[in-house]
Amino acid sequence: MALLSGGLFAIHAQEEFPLAPRVADAYIQKYGDWYYLTGTPCPGDWEMQWVGVWKSRDLVNWSGPVLAFEGEVRDRPMWASEMHRKGDDYYIITTCNTWNPGNTFMVQKAPSPDGPYSFHSFLPKKGLDPSIFIDTDGKSYLLDSEWIAPLDEDWTRITNDFVGHRANKEGPFMVKSDNDYLRFYARIDPTYYMEMESLKGDNPYSVDYVEQGEVLTGPWLPGHGCITPSPDGSELWYAAHANTDGSWETRALAIDPMRFESGRPVPTSRNDKAKPAPSLSRNVNLAHGKVANSTAFLAGHEPHKAIDGNKATWWEAVVTPADTIAPYLEVDLMGEFFIDGITARTPDKKKVDAEVAVSCDRINWTAPSSDRTARYVRFLPKTDCRIAEVEITRVPYHIPARGKKIASFSPGEQMKFTVPITGTYDIEYVVESRNLNSEWALYDNSTLVARSNVAHTGPTGNSTRIISFDVPLSSEREHNLKIVPVSGDYTIKEISIYSQN
């Protein structure tokens, strides 16, 4: 990982962090202990008729892409894919020009983020770079590079009345903070940078967004991206693609640290060379540095003041029987976590008497449970109260760091080795593939230990890396690995085994 001028961390194929997704239009979602990355695979994106997904547990070491969805060959490709969750289902929305007359956006659906995905719907409008936003009232909206439109409950139809033309912009995504809508874009004129617009009110379907200027810029031209939390939840990172030499074919994933202050995003500096990567600390308060919303607030007591770490500021709720919507304070963790504890306190440190509900999509709400993930946490006070401090902690966890490489093999070598201790290891493959879904099985003697696949890696000479995470290996015997082809046309150029110490 390198620190670039302008404050942009780029993940490149260096010795320290060898997994470098060559992906543009990056969109990352955190579900539990895993990250999923979609976007536009590079190089060869102009010939792409498929959707790829990468997977990681630390935002640095990525496995993929694997094939999520394969389309028919058309005269224009598929690109700028995003993954979203609704209920127990996962959706990938992607641009697919000329696939269906008058329809540019395709939605695929799967029972898990790993897939397999199948066709769900075409959305009847031509456009570019789709993104889905679910509001605090549970209503869904489709964002395009030029407009916003209401989306139906099944994510199969959008209204014919589109508003908010935005010239010279692409790659939108939306965050709601302090009851304001923050719409992020990549600005492409006169230079390329990330900017933000804001809207006050209770309906994002409007033309009245106000430009707020640059959020992230630099000589490497950060583009189409999103915001995602660190594995421990203590930080936020702005993920985007960087144009490493000005070519569309060399765009790569880059991340930059940020936080929210007073309800607005603020880029931060990470000059600690010992910790250039996202944090893996313990026992952090997930609420700090995130965003908050509420049904209403008194002047000077915005929602963010309940999570700013300052006990002298607070959000205030007035509960009346006439309320059509019960007052609530909502914290958006910006990613899903297994949550262990949720507490709200008054300025004098007393616990607030409130019901607590959690959700992954702002549509389906349940009581907290440590065995289910949650992104949104709501406090519903039973009486008038002031919330000055919110503490949300995650279930105790262990995210293995990239450990020492204990074995490495080239094609034709006998893959025999021993491991220092019995445990789980990551087995990493350097692969060239000509098919959209090359697949193989890995055996240790006669035992199947992993099954992996890789999507097309582009022209000859390009390769990608696939990780079989958490493979159990015993120190009590010698291991003898064998790869058995299942399907596709691929070449495995190297295999490495990493400890998780």
Side-chain angles (χ1 to χ4, degrees):
M1 180 174 285
L3 177 62
L4 309 180
S5 57
L8 188 68
F9 284 107
I11 300 175
H12 295 296
Q14 298 181 355
E15 182 178 355
E16 300 96 320
F17 304 108
L19 301 186
R22 293 169 299 174
V23 61
D25 309 326
Y27 196 81
I28 300 173
Q29 289 281 19
K30 185 179 187 302
Y31 300 120
D33 291 332
W34 296 98
Y35 292 91
Y36 292 86
L37 164 67
T38 50
T40 303
C42 299
D45 56 345
W46 292 112
E47 300 176 358
M48 185 182 66
Q49 304 287 342
W50 54 279
V51 174
V53 174
W54 291 259
K55 187 176 181 178
S56 174
R57 58 187 166 203
D58 59 8
L59 275 181
V60 175
N61 297 286
W62 291 91
S63 177
V66 298
L67 179 71
F69 183 84
E70 179 181 356
E72 304 172 29
V73 176
R74 302 293 175 117
D75 61 346
R76 290 294 302 276
M78 304 168 71
W79 74 91
S81 300
E82 287 191 2
M83 184 182 294
H84 296 272
R85 178 176 181 174
K86 182 162 66 73
D88 293 327
D89 295 315
Y90 297 82
Y91 298 79
I92 291 179
I93 184 169
T94 188
T95 309
C96 52
N97 277 3
T98 72
W99 275 67
N100 200 22
N103 301 273
T104 306
F105 302 138
M106 180 191 292
V107 181
Q108 298 107 39
K109 181 179 178 181
S112 83
D114 294 288
Y117 288 82
S118 58
F119 173 78
H120 178 68
S121 66
F122 280 116
L123 298 178
K125 173 68 176 177
K126 288 190 175 181
L128 178 71
D129 298 344
S131 184
I132 294 175
F133 169 70
I134 303 176
D135 203 353
T136 49
D137 61 4
K139 295 180 180 178
S140 299
Y141 297 85
L142 179 67
L143 282 74
D144 162 88
S145 61
E146 297 183 344
W147 45 258
I148 183 171
L151 185 60
D152 76 324
E153 292 182 2
D154 294 328
W155 292 3
T156 58
R157 297 185 306 278
I158 51 179
T159 179
N160 290 323
D161 185 14
F162 309 96
V163 301
H165 179 82
R166 322 303 299 178
N168 300 320
K169 299 180 181 180
E170 66 179 28
F173 72 95
M174 186 95 82
V175 173
K176 192 172 186 179
S177 179
D178 269 8
N179 294 11
D180 292 343
Y181 299 96
L182 309 182
R183 186 162 63 178
F184 297 80
Y185 283 100
R187 182 85 179 196
I188 56 178
D189 181 34
T191 58
Y192 204 70
Y193 58 87
M194 297 305 299
E195 73 166 6
M196 185 184 77
E197 302 172 334
S198 67
L199 173 71
K200 293 185 178 296
D202 56 4
N203 187 352
Y205 184 52
S206 171
V207 296
D208 296 328
Y209 287 83
V210 178
E211 291 191 1
Q212 301 295 325
E214 295 179 1
V215 174
L216 183 65
T217 188
W220 283 39
L221 306 177
H224 187 158
C226 65
I227 300 173
T228 195
S230 59
D232 63 1
S234 67
E235 306 165 325
L236 292 176
W237 290 79
Y238 203 121
H241 67 243
N243 282 12
T244 55
D245 63 3
S247 168
W248 290 111
E249 293 298 291
T250 58
R251 292 172 290 177
L253 177 64
I255 56 176
D256 194 68
M258 67 176 305
R259 65 181 182 273
F260 276 78
E261 291 183 356
S262 300
R264 293 295 184 267
V266 178
T268 61
S269 176
R270 284 290 297 274
N271 294 321
D272 183 358
K273 295 182 180 180
K275 292 184 177 181
S279 173
L280 294 174
S281 61
R282 300 286 196 276
N283 302 322
V284 300
N285 186 349
L286 299 178
H288 286 172
K290 307 305 191 304
V291 300
N293 297 283
S294 64
T295 46
F297 56 86
L298 301 179
H301 301 290
E302 297 84 358
H304 79 265
K305 293 186 176 180
I307 60 171
D308 60 4
N310 184 354
K311 297 179 178 61
T313 63
W314 61 82
W315 170 79
E316 189 165 347
V318 178
V319 180
T320 64
D323 288 332
T324 56
I325 300 177
Y328 66 77
L329 174 71
E330 176 195 277
V331 180
D332 180 359
L333 303 177
M334 307 296 288
E336 293 183 21
F337 296 86
F338 291 98
I339 295 176
D340 186 43
I342 302 173
T343 305
R345 298 184 184 277
T346 65
D348 56 0
K349 299 183 181 181
K350 294 180 179 179
K351 286 187 177 181
V352 174
D353 185 13
E355 293 183 7
V356 178
V358 298
S359 176
C360 293
D361 57 10
R362 280 181 168 153
I363 299 171
N364 304 281
W365 294 87
T366 64
S369 173
S370 61
D371 60 357
R372 293 197 303 266
T373 60
R375 170 171 173 170
Y376 306 98
V377 178
R378 279 187 179 176
F379 298 89
L380 296 93
K382 299 179 181 179
T383 60
D384 297 355
C385 72
R386 295 174 175 178
I387 296 181
E389 181 182 13
V390 169
E391 183 177 10
I392 302 172
T393 57
R394 61 168 298 164
V395 170
Y397 70 102
H398 172 61
I399 298 179
R402 172 50 58 95
K404 181 181 179 181
K405 183 188 291 188
I406 64 169
S408 183
F409 305 94
S410 298
E413 292 182 330
Q414 279 196 323
M415 295 188 293
K416 293 184 178 181
F417 66 97
T418 58
V419 295
I421 60 174
T422 297
T424 55
Y425 292 76
D426 291 344
I427 301 182
E428 175 185 290
Y429 311 82
V430 179
V431 180
E432 289 184 3
S433 172
R434 299 292 159 266
N435 296 91
L436 290 184
N437 196 21
S438 298
E439 188 175 2
W440 64 90
L442 179 69
Y443 286 86
D444 183 6
N445 293 313
S446 60
T447 302
L448 177 67
V449 295
R451 191 179 177 107
S452 304
N453 72 312
V454 62
H456 181 56
T457 59
T460 301
N462 287 319
S463 60
T464 191
R465 294 173 187 260
I466 298 292
I467 305 174
S468 292
F469 292 102
D470 302 332
V471 177
L473 297 174
S474 172
S475 62
E476 298 178 358
R477 63 182 178 84
E478 183 181 58
H479 297 276
N480 185 7
L481 298 184
K482 180 181 180 181
I483 295 177
V484 177
V486 177
S487 64
D489 178 10
Y490 58 89
T491 301
I492 295 180
K493 305 179 73 64
E494 181 183 345
I495 297 177
S496 299
I497 293 93
Y498 287 86
S499 68
Q500 295 184 358
N501 301 326

